[in-house]
Amino acid sequence: MQVDFASRIPLWPRYDPADERALQDVLHSRLWWRGNGTRGDDFEAAFAKMLGVAHVRLVSHGTAALELALAALGVGPEDEVIVPACTFIATASAVLRLGAWPIPVDVEPKTLNIDVALIEPAIGPRTRCVVPVHMAGQAADMPAIMAIAGRHGLSVVEDAAHAHGARAFGSALGAIGDASIFSFQSGKLMTCGEGGAIATSRADIAAQTFPLHSCGRPKGDTEYRHLMATTNMRLTELQVALLVGQLRRLPGDMALRDRNAPIFEARLRDAGLEPLDTRAHVERHGRYMTLAWFDPAAFGGADAATLSASLRQMGVPAFRCFPPVHHTEMFAPAALASLVGRNGRAPDYAGMATPVAERAAREAIWFAHPLLLGDEALLTDVADAVATLRVPLHPARQVAHHATMPA
């Protein structure tokens, strides 16, 4: 199948003349540093208003935002933090960086969000926090998670890196937990190349985030006071100038994705894939990814890495689902041994069974959100490209394959 996808998929990131003028304004002002500019403060206020929270703190990247949120909540050495097994590694690595241990919990097959029924059994005496991820932009079951956290005296940090503008349960995602984080990395729904934010309505968390993200210095300090040992996570005014345009375009981009997503999902079903469900509590899906299951037996035995690589060779931005966090090299015995002196005794990661996350790594792929900014013909042709890869296994091999499939 020969289709020129490269010239038809809308380019990302998007910008317009107003973004160019904004960058020039910052350039000419020479106020490039967050410490002497005002654009960062203005954007934080605008983003907080959109979310319906009291405070937003911009930082250098989404992983830094996770570290900052957890540190502001007092997570530290030998603590445990519950995370979904299926997520980008930053959700777990931020915990390790603070000297704590991430505890991966399996996910729901229909949404790949953390399985709420498995959270309570994972809580132990060292548990301090739960970090649900709004996978692909769909809301995790926040009321249930908040209720569990309340019963056990735990904090909740929403990982909303996929969920800019999304809503559920009468709130913006990112406004429900004790704090939340967002990413503005290059592929995200809002981007300035690299960047992130922490959002919260708790004044105590907000107060902690300023010195924690700025070399330990209180706001307005000119006497080189350093209240704590920390690092520099500040964003630049040039990056903030780009975020202003991203926030301005977000409603229009979301409307276009909302219109195209059902079309694309229907075409993918026709091609042999099964997109994730959208739960009834979702009022506005972020649609960062279009995630879909497939049966390897229908695609010649290909796993997710192979199938997505074949699609990328055709010019389709498709990728395998994340591996379970504790199956990455970061959790290999030698890597864990190097952390034990600081983090205390390591959990038994090798014994943690997360069958849904493990299956998703083999049998789920995702498509990048710029596809949903295209037209119906593009979405149809992408699904047709998927269909061309369907090559059923030889019957004898198919029987053997199904014998090894997880229930």
Side-chain angles (χ1 to χ4, degrees):
M1 180 180 187
Q2 298 295 321
V3 178
D4 180 17
F5 288 117
S7 66
R8 297 171 59 194
I9 298 172
L11 296 176
W12 189 264
R14 284 148 57 107
Y15 66 89
D16 59 26
D19 296 305
E20 296 183 35
R21 290 192 297 271
L23 285 171
Q24 286 186 325
D25 288 346
V26 177
L27 185 70
H28 296 158
S29 75
R30 300 183 188 275
L31 302 177
W32 304 351
W33 180 49
R34 180 68 198 279
N36 58 17
T38 61
R39 290 175 184 265
D41 291 346
D42 293 342
F43 179 84
E44 286 176 347
F47 199 56
K49 182 178 180 181
M50 184 196 82
L51 295 174
V53 300
H55 310 280
V56 164
R57 182 79 63 217
L58 287 171
V59 294
S60 52
H61 45 81
T63 308
L66 275 164
E67 291 186 32
L68 180 60
L70 293 168
L73 285 163
V75 171
E78 301 191 37
D79 290 336
E80 293 182 349
V81 176
I82 292 173
V83 303
C86 181
T87 180
F88 182 63
I89 195 62
T91 312
S93 64
V95 178
L96 290 173
R97 292 264 300 166
L98 292 172
W101 296 109
I103 303 299
V105 166
D106 210 3
V107 292
E108 302 173 334
K110 296 293 188 180
T111 67
L112 297 185
N113 278 328
I114 193 167
D115 189 332
V116 173
L118 300 178
I119 293 176
E120 224 152 4
I123 295 172
R126 298 195 291 175
T127 308
R128 290 289 302 274
C129 187
V130 182
V131 182
V133 175
H134 301 305
M135 187 67 167
Q138 175 168 199
D141 189 348
M142 289 305 299
I145 293 167
M146 295 302 291
I148 292 169
R151 287 197 296 272
H152 294 272
L154 307 178
S155 301
V156 175
V157 175
E158 295 174 71
D159 185 333
H162 297 177
H164 310 70
R167 295 185 61 85
F169 311 108
S171 297
L173 300 191
I176 302 172
D178 295 283
S180 65
I181 71 92
F182 291 84
S183 171
F184 303 126
Q185 179 265 348
S186 64
K188 296 300 187 291
L189 297 169
M190 291 176 56
T191 179
C192 57
E194 280 287 5
I198 176 174
T200 183
S201 287
R202 283 181 46 178
D204 59 328
I205 296 174
Q208 281 282 88
T209 61
F210 192 90
L212 280 170
H213 100 299
S214 189
C215 305
R217 301 174 74 178
K219 192 167 187 176
D221 173 55
T222 59
E223 301 300 321
Y224 299 106
R225 297 176 61 208
H226 301 278
L227 308 179
M228 58 196 71
T230 182
T231 188
N232 175 10
M233 304 180 186
R234 295 186 298 262
L235 203 63
T236 70
E237 291 284 279
L238 287 159
Q239 290 168 286
V240 175
L242 289 172
L243 287 177
V244 171
Q246 296 283 298
L247 184 58
R248 168 170 45 84
R249 281 187 295 275
L250 182 63
D253 287 348
M254 290 190 74
L256 188 51
R257 293 187 190 102
D258 282 343
R259 187 169 73 239
N260 280 333
I263 297 169
F264 190 37
E265 290 174 356
R267 299 292 186 274
L268 290 176
R269 287 189 184 94
D270 292 341
L273 272 58
E274 186 55 43
L276 298 186
D277 288 353
T278 297
R279 295 299 196 201
H281 60 240
V282 173
E283 298 162 20
R284 194 80 188 268
H285 200 302
R287 305 199 186 282
Y288 172 59
M289 302 167 169
T290 301
L291 254 164
W293 291 96
F294 69 97
D295 179 359
F299 290 86
D303 63 8
T306 302
L307 181 60
S308 59
S310 296
L311 288 167
R312 290 196 302 278
Q313 288 175 353
M314 297 180 179
V316 176
F319 304 87
R320 61 167 292 191
C321 190
F322 305 122
V325 291
H326 57 305
H327 287 193
T328 64
E329 291 87 346
M330 192 178 294
F331 290 84
L336 291 177
S338 70
L339 298 174
V340 167
R342 182 188 63 170
N343 296 35
R345 178 177 52 83
D348 178 20
Y349 288 111
M352 293 182 181
T354 54
V356 178
E358 291 160 27
R359 183 182 165 213
R362 300 188 305 269
E363 301 178 17
I365 62 173
W366 62 271
F367 299 85
H369 66 83
L371 286 172
L372 298 181
L373 300 176
D375 56 26
E376 185 172 349
L378 168 66
L379 302 176
T380 298
D381 286 345
V382 168
D384 287 346
V386 174
T388 65
L389 299 174
R390 295 185 70 176
V391 182
L393 280 172
H394 183 277
R397 291 177 60 203
Q398 191 165 352
V399 169
H401 171 80
H402 280 292
T404 61
M405 288 273 286

Coordinates of all heavy atoms in Angstrom, one line a residue, residues 33-107:
W33 N 14.8 35.2 31.5 CA 14.9 34.4 32.7 C 13.6 34.6 33.4 O 13.0 35.7 33.5 CB 16.0 34.9 33.6 CG 16.2 34.2 34.9 CD1 16.3 32.9 35.1 CD2 16.4 34.8 36.2 NE1 16.5 32.6 36.4 CE2 16.5 33.8 37.1 CE3 16.5 36.2 36.6 CZ2 16.7 34.0 38.5 CZ3 16.7 36.4 37.9 CH2 16.8 35.4 38.9
R34 N 13.1 33.5 34.0 CA 11.9 33.5 34.8 C 11.9 34.5 35.9 O 10.9 35.1 36.3 CB 11.6 32.1 35.3 CG 10.3 32.0 36.1 CD 9.0 32.2 35.2 NE 7.9 32.5 36.0 CZ 7.2 31.5 36.6 NH1 7.5 30.3 36.5 NH2 6.1 31.9 37.4
G35 N 13.1 34.7 36.5 CA 13.2 35.5 37.7 C 13.0 37.0 37.4 O 12.6 37.7 38.4
N36 N 13.2 37.5 36.2 CA 12.9 38.9 35.9 C 11.8 39.1 34.9 O 11.5 40.3 34.5 CB 14.2 39.6 35.5 CG 14.9 39.0 34.3 OD1 14.2 38.3 33.5 ND2 16.1 39.4 34.1
G37 N 11.2 38.1 34.4 CA 10.0 38.2 33.5 C 8.7 38.1 34.2 O 8.7 37.8 35.4
T38 N 7.7 38.4 33.5 CA 6.3 38.3 34.1 C 5.4 37.3 33.4 O 4.3 37.0 33.8 CB 5.6 39.6 34.1 OG1 5.5 40.1 32.7 CG2 6.4 40.7 34.9
R39 N 5.8 36.8 32.2 CA 5.0 35.9 31.4 C 4.7 34.6 32.2 O 3.6 34.0 32.1 CB 5.6 35.6 30.1 CG 5.6 36.8 29.1 CD 6.4 36.4 27.9 NE 6.5 37.6 27.0 CZ 5.6 37.9 26.0 NH1 4.6 37.0 25.8 NH2 5.7 39.0 25.3
G40 N 5.7 34.1 32.9 CA 5.5 32.8 33.7 C 4.4 33.0 34.7 O 3.5 32.1 34.8
D41 N 4.4 34.1 35.4 CA 3.4 34.3 36.4 C 2.0 34.4 35.8 O 1.0 33.9 36.3 CB 3.6 35.6 37.2 CG 4.8 35.5 38.1 OD1 5.3 34.4 38.4 OD2 5.3 36.6 38.6
D42 N 1.9 35.1 34.6 CA 0.6 35.3 33.9 C 0.1 33.9 33.4 O -1.1 33.6 33.5 CB 0.8 36.3 32.8 CG 1.1 37.7 33.2 OD1 0.8 38.0 34.4 OD2 1.6 38.5 32.4
F43 N 1.0 33.1 32.9 CA 0.6 31.8 32.4 C 0.1 30.9 33.5 O -0.9 30.2 33.4 CB 1.7 31.1 31.6 CG 1.2 29.8 31.1 CD1 0.5 29.6 29.9 CD2 1.5 28.6 31.8 CE1 0.1 28.4 29.4 CE2 1.1 27.4 31.3 CZ 0.4 27.3 30.2
E44 N 0.9 30.9 34.6 CA 0.4 30.1 35.8 C -1.0 30.5 36.2 O -1.8 29.6 36.5 CB 1.4 30.3 36.9 CG 2.8 29.6 36.7 CD 3.8 29.8 37.8 OE1 3.6 30.8 38.6 OE2 4.8 29.1 37.8
A45 N -1.3 31.8 36.2 CA -2.6 32.2 36.6 C -3.7 31.7 35.6 O -4.7 31.3 36.0 CB -2.6 33.7 36.8
A46 N -3.3 31.8 34.3 CA -4.3 31.4 33.3 C -4.5 29.9 33.3 O -5.7 29.4 33.2 CB -3.8 31.9 31.9
F47 N -3.5 29.1 33.5 CA -3.6 27.7 33.5 C -4.4 27.2 34.8 O -5.2 26.3 34.7 CB -2.2 27.0 33.5 CG -2.2 25.6 33.0 CD1 -2.8 25.2 31.8 CD2 -1.6 24.6 33.8 CE1 -2.8 23.9 31.4 CE2 -1.6 23.3 33.4 CZ -2.2 22.9 32.2
A48 N -4.1 27.9 35.9 CA -4.8 27.6 37.1 C -6.3 27.9 37.0 O -7.1 27.1 37.4 CB -4.2 28.4 38.3
K49 N -6.6 29.0 36.3 CA -8.0 29.3 36.1 C -8.7 28.3 35.2 O -9.9 27.9 35.5 CB -8.1 30.7 35.4 CG -9.6 31.1 35.2 CD -9.6 32.5 34.6 CE -11.0 33.0 34.3 NZ -11.1 34.4 33.7
M50 N -8.0 27.8 34.2 CA -8.6 26.7 33.3 C -8.9 25.5 34.1 O -9.9 24.8 33.9 CB -7.7 26.4 32.1 CG -8.2 25.4 31.2 SD -7.0 24.7 30.0 CE -6.3 23.4 31.1
L51 N -7.9 25.1 35.0 CA -8.1 23.9 35.8 C -9.1 24.0 36.9 O -9.6 23.0 37.4 CB -6.7 23.5 36.3 CG -5.7 23.1 35.3 CD1 -4.3 22.8 36.0 CD2 -6.1 21.8 34.5
G52 N -9.2 25.3 37.4 CA -10.1 25.5 38.6 C -9.3 25.2 39.9 O -9.9 24.7 40.8
V53 N -8.0 25.5 39.9 CA -7.2 25.3 41.1 C -6.6 26.6 41.5 O -6.7 27.6 40.8 CB -6.0 24.3 40.9 CG1 -6.6 22.9 40.5 CG2 -5.1 24.8 39.8
A54 N -6.1 26.6 42.7 CA -5.6 27.9 43.2 C -4.1 28.2 42.8 O -3.8 29.4 42.7 CB -5.6 27.9 44.8
H55 N -3.3 27.2 42.5 CA -1.9 27.4 42.3 C -1.4 26.5 41.2 O -1.7 25.4 41.1 CB -1.1 27.1 43.6 CG -1.6 27.8 44.8 ND1 -1.4 29.1 45.1 CD2 -2.4 27.2 45.8 CE1 -1.9 29.4 46.3 NE2 -2.6 28.3 46.7
V56 N -0.5 27.1 40.3 CA 0.2 26.3 39.3 C 1.7 26.8 39.4 O 2.0 28.0 39.6 CB -0.3 26.6 37.9 CG1 0.7 26.1 36.9 CG2 -1.6 25.8 37.7
R57 N 2.6 25.8 39.3 CA 4.0 26.1 39.3 C 4.6 25.5 38.1 O 4.6 24.3 37.9 CB 4.7 25.6 40.5 CG 6.2 25.9 40.6 CD 6.4 27.3 41.1 NE 5.9 27.4 42.5 CZ 5.3 28.5 43.0 NH1 5.1 29.6 42.1 NH2 4.9 28.6 44.2
L58 N 5.2 26.4 37.2 CA 5.8 25.9 36.0 C 7.2 25.4 36.3 O 7.9 25.9 37.1 CB 6.0 27.0 34.9 CG 4.7 27.4 34.2 CD1 4.9 28.7 33.4 CD2 4.2 26.3 33.3
V59 N 7.6 24.3 35.7 CA 9.0 23.7 35.9 C 9.5 23.2 34.6 O 8.9 23.3 33.5 CB 8.9 22.5 36.9 CG1 8.5 23.0 38.3 CG2 8.0 21.4 36.4
S60 N 10.8 22.7 34.6 CA 11.5 22.5 33.4 C 11.1 21.3 32.6 O 11.3 21.2 31.4 CB 13.0 22.2 33.8 OG 13.1 21.3 34.8
H61 N 10.4 20.3 33.2 CA 9.9 19.2 32.5 C 8.9 18.4 33.4 O 8.8 18.6 34.6 CB 10.9 18.2 32.0 CG 12.0 17.9 32.9 ND1 11.9 16.9 33.9 CD2 13.3 18.4 33.1 CE1 13.0 16.9 34.6 NE2 13.9 17.8 34.2
G62 N 8.1 17.5 32.8 CA 7.1 16.8 33.5 C 7.7 15.9 34.6 O 7.1 15.7 35.7
T63 N 8.8 15.3 34.3 CA 9.4 14.4 35.4 C 9.8 15.2 36.6 O 9.6 14.8 37.7 CB 10.7 13.7 34.8 OG1 10.3 13.0 33.6 CG2 11.2 12.7 35.8
A64 N 10.3 16.5 36.4 CA 10.6 17.4 37.5 C 9.4 17.7 38.2 O 9.4 17.8 39.5 CB 11.3 18.6 36.9
A65 N 8.3 17.9 37.5 CA 7.0 18.2 38.2 C 6.6 17.1 39.1 O 6.1 17.3 40.2 CB 5.9 18.4 37.1
L66 N 6.8 15.8 38.7 CA 6.5 14.7 39.6 C 7.3 14.7 40.8 O 6.9 14.5 41.9 CB 6.7 13.4 38.8 CG 5.5 12.9 37.9 CD1 5.9 11.8 37.0 CD2 4.4 12.3 38.8
E67 N 8.6 14.9 40.6 CA 9.5 14.9 41.7 C 9.2 16.0 42.7 O 9.2 15.9 43.9 CB 11.0 15.1 41.3 CG 11.6 13.9 40.5 CD 13.0 14.1 40.2 OE1 13.7 14.8 41.0 OE2 13.5 13.6 39.2
L68 N 8.8 17.2 42.1 CA 8.5 18.3 42.9 C 7.2 18.1 43.7 O 7.1 18.4 44.9 CB 8.3 19.6 42.0 CG 7.9 20.9 42.7 CD1 8.9 21.3 43.7 CD2 7.7 22.0 41.6
A69 N 6.2 17.5 43.1 CA 4.9 17.3 43.8 C 5.1 16.3 44.9 O 4.6 16.5 46.1 CB 3.9 16.7 42.8
L70 N 5.8 15.2 44.7 CA 6.1 14.2 45.7 C 6.9 14.7 46.8 O 6.7 14.5 48.0 CB 6.7 13.0 45.1 CG 5.9 12.2 44.1 CD1 6.7 11.2 43.3 CD2 4.7 11.5 44.8
A71 N 7.9 15.5 46.5 CA 8.8 16.1 47.5 C 8.0 17.1 48.4 O 8.2 17.1 49.6 CB 10.0 16.8 46.9
A72 N 7.1 17.9 47.8 CA 6.3 18.8 48.5 C 5.4 18.1 49.5 O 5.0 18.7 50.5 CB 5.6 19.7 47.6
L73 N 5.0 16.9 49.1 CA 4.1 16.1 50.0 C 4.9 15.3 51.0 O 4.3 14.5 51.8 CB 3.3 15.2 49.2 CG 2.1 15.9 48.4 CD1 1.6 15.0 47.3 CD2 1.0 16.2 49.4
G74 N 6.2 15.4 51.0 CA 7.0 14.8 52.1 C 7.5 13.4 51.7 O 8.0 12.7 52.6
V75 N 7.3 12.9 50.5 CA 7.8 11.6 50.1 C 9.3 11.6 50.1 O 10.0 12.5 49.6 CB 7.2 11.2 48.7 CG1 7.9 9.9 48.3 CG2 5.7 11.1 48.8
G76 N 9.9 10.6 50.8 CA 11.3 10.5 50.9 C 11.8 9.1 51.0 O 11.1 8.1 50.8
P77 N 13.1 8.9 51.5 CA 13.7 7.6 51.6 C 12.9 6.6 52.3 O 12.3 6.9 53.4 CB 15.0 7.9 52.3 CG 15.3 9.3 51.9 CD 14.0 10.0 51.8
E78 N 12.8 5.4 51.7 CA 12.2 4.2 52.2 C 10.7 4.3 52.2 O 10.0 3.3 52.5 CB 12.7 3.9 53.6 CG 14.2 3.7 53.7 CD 14.6 3.1 55.0 OE1 13.9 2.2 55.6 OE2 15.7 3.5 55.5
D79 N 10.1 5.4 51.7 CA 8.6 5.4 51.5 C 8.3 4.6 50.3 O 9.1 4.2 49.5 CB 8.1 6.8 51.3 CG 8.2 7.7 52.6 OD1 8.2 7.1 53.7 OD2 8.3 8.9 52.5
E80 N 7.0 4.3 50.2 CA 6.5 3.6 49.0 C 5.3 4.4 48.4 O 4.6 5.1 49.1 CB 5.9 2.2 49.3 CG 7.0 1.2 49.8 CD 6.5 -0.2 50.1 OE1 5.3 -0.3 50.2 OE2 7.4 -1.0 50.3
V81 N 5.3 4.4 47.0 CA 4.3 5.2 46.3 C 3.7 4.2 45.3 O 4.4 3.6 44.5 CB 5.0 6.4 45.5 CG1 4.0 7.1 44.7 CG2 5.6 7.3 46.6
I82 N 2.4 4.1 45.3 CA 1.7 3.2 44.4 C 1.5 3.9 43.0 O 1.0 5.1 42.9 CB 0.3 2.8 45.0 CG1 0.5 1.9 46.2 CG2 -0.6 2.2 43.9 CD1 -0.7 1.6 47.0
V83 N 1.9 3.2 42.0 CA 1.8 3.7 40.6 C 1.2 2.7 39.7 O 1.2 1.5 40.0 CB 3.2 4.1 40.1 CG1 3.9 5.2 40.9 CG2 4.1 2.9 39.9
P84 N 0.6 3.0 38.6 CA 0.2 2.0 37.6 C 1.4 1.3 37.0 O 2.4 1.9 36.7 CB -0.6 2.8 36.5 CG -0.5 4.2 36.9 CD 0.4 4.4 38.1
A85 N 1.2 0.0 36.7 CA 2.3 -0.7 36.1 C 2.5 -0.3 34.6 O 3.6 -0.4 34.1 CB 2.0 -2.2 36.1
C86 N 1.4 0.1 34.0 CA 1.4 0.6 32.6 C 1.4 2.1 32.6 O 0.4 2.7 32.7 CB 0.2 0.0 31.9 SG 0.2 0.4 30.1
T87 N 2.6 2.7 32.4 CA 2.8 4.1 32.3 C 4.2 4.4 31.8 O 5.0 3.5 31.8 CB 2.6 4.8 33.7 OG1 2.7 6.2 33.5 CG2 3.6 4.3 34.7
F88 N 4.4 5.7 31.4 CA 5.7 6.0 31.0 C 6.6 6.0 32.2 O 6.2 6.2 33.4 CB 5.8 7.5 30.4 CG 7.1 7.9 29.9 CD1 7.8 7.2 28.9 CD2 7.7 9.0 30.5 CE1 9.1 7.6 28.5 CE2 9.0 9.4 30.1 CZ 9.6 8.7 29.1
I89 N 7.9 5.7 32.1 CA 8.8 5.4 33.2 C 8.9 6.5 34.2 O 9.2 6.2 35.4 CB 10.2 5.0 32.6 CG1 11.0 4.3 33.7 CG2 10.9 6.2 32.0 CD1 10.4 3.0 34.3
A90 N 8.7 7.7 33.8 CA 8.9 8.9 34.7 C 8.0 8.8 35.9 O 8.4 9.2 37.0 CB 8.6 10.2 34.0
T91 N 6.8 8.2 35.8 CA 5.9 8.0 36.9 C 6.6 7.2 38.0 O 6.4 7.4 39.2 CB 4.6 7.3 36.5 OG1 4.1 8.0 35.4 CG2 3.6 7.4 37.6
A92 N 7.4 6.2 37.6 CA 8.2 5.4 38.6 C 9.5 6.0 38.9 O 10.0 6.0 40.1 CB 8.3 4.0 38.1
S93 N 10.2 6.5 37.9 CA 11.6 7.0 38.2 C 11.6 8.2 39.1 O 12.6 8.4 39.8 CB 12.3 7.3 36.8 OG 11.7 8.4 36.1
A94 N 10.6 9.1 39.0 CA 10.6 10.2 39.9 C 10.5 9.8 41.4 O 11.1 10.4 42.3 CB 9.4 11.1 39.6
V95 N 9.8 8.7 41.6 CA 9.8 8.1 43.0 C 11.1 7.6 43.4 O 11.6 7.9 44.5 CB 8.7 7.0 43.0 CG1 8.7 6.3 44.4 CG2 7.3 7.4 42.6
L96 N 11.8 6.9 42.6 CA 13.2 6.4 42.9 C 14.1 7.5 43.1 O 15.0 7.4 44.0 CB 13.7 5.5 41.7 CG 13.0 4.2 41.5 CD1 13.5 3.5 40.2 CD2 13.2 3.2 42.7
R97 N 14.0 8.6 42.4 CA 14.9 9.7 42.6 C 14.8 10.4 43.9 O 15.8 11.0 44.4 CB 14.6 10.8 41.5 CG 15.0 10.4 40.1 CD 16.3 10.8 39.7 NE 16.4 12.3 39.7 CZ 17.5 13.0 39.6 NH1 18.7 12.4 39.6 NH2 17.5 14.3 39.7
L98 N 13.7 10.2 44.6 CA 13.5 10.8 45.9 C 13.9 9.8 47.0 O 13.7 10.1 48.2 CB 12.0 11.2 46.1 CG 11.6 12.4 45.3 CD1 10.1 12.6 45.4 CD2 12.3 13.7 45.7
G99 N 14.4 8.6 46.6 CA 14.8 7.6 47.6 C 13.7 6.7 48.1 O 13.8 5.9 49.0
A100 N 12.5 6.8 47.4 CA 11.4 6.0 47.7 C 11.2 4.9 46.7 O 12.0 4.8 45.7 CB 10.1 6.8 47.8
W101 N 10.3 4.0 46.9 CA 10.1 2.8 46.0 C 8.7 2.9 45.4 O 7.7 3.0 46.1 CB 10.2 1.5 46.8 CG 11.5 1.2 47.4 CD1 11.8 1.2 48.7 CD2 12.7 0.8 46.7 NE1 13.1 0.9 48.9 CE2 13.7 0.7 47.6 CE3 13.0 0.7 45.3 CZ2 15.0 0.3 47.3 CZ3 14.3 0.3 45.0 CH2 15.3 0.1 46.0
P102 N 8.7 2.9 44.0 CA 7.4 2.8 43.4 C 6.8 1.3 43.5 O 7.6 0.4 43.4 CB 7.7 3.1 41.9 CG 9.1 2.7 41.7 CD 9.8 2.9 43.1
I103 N 5.5 1.2 43.8 CA 4.9 -0.1 43.8 C 3.9 -0.2 42.7 O 2.8 0.4 42.7 CB 4.1 -0.2 45.2 CG1 5.1 0.0 46.4 CG2 3.4 -1.6 45.2 CD1 6.2 -1.0 46.4
P104 N 4.3 -0.9 41.6 CA 3.4 -1.0 40.5 C 2.1 -1.9 40.7 O 2.2 -2.9 41.3 CB 4.3 -1.6 39.4 CG 5.3 -2.4 40.2 CD 5.5 -1.7 41.4
V105 N 1.0 -1.3 40.3 CA -0.3 -2.0 40.4 C -0.8 -2.2 39.0 O -0.7 -1.3 38.2 CB -1.2 -1.2 41.3 CG1 -2.7 -1.7 41.2 CG2 -0.8 -1.2 42.8
D106 N -1.4 -3.4 38.8 CA -1.9 -3.6 37.4 C -3.1 -2.7 37.0 O -3.6 -2.0 37.9 CB -2.4 -5.1 37.3 CG -2.2 -5.7 35.9 OD1 -1.7 -5.0 35.0 OD2 -2.6 -6.8 35.7
V107 N -3.4 -2.7 35.7 CA -4.3 -1.8 35.1 C -5.6 -2.5 34.6 O -5.6 -3.7 34.4 CB -3.6 -1.0 34.0 CG1 -2.6 -0.1 34.6 CG2 -3.0 -1.9 33.0

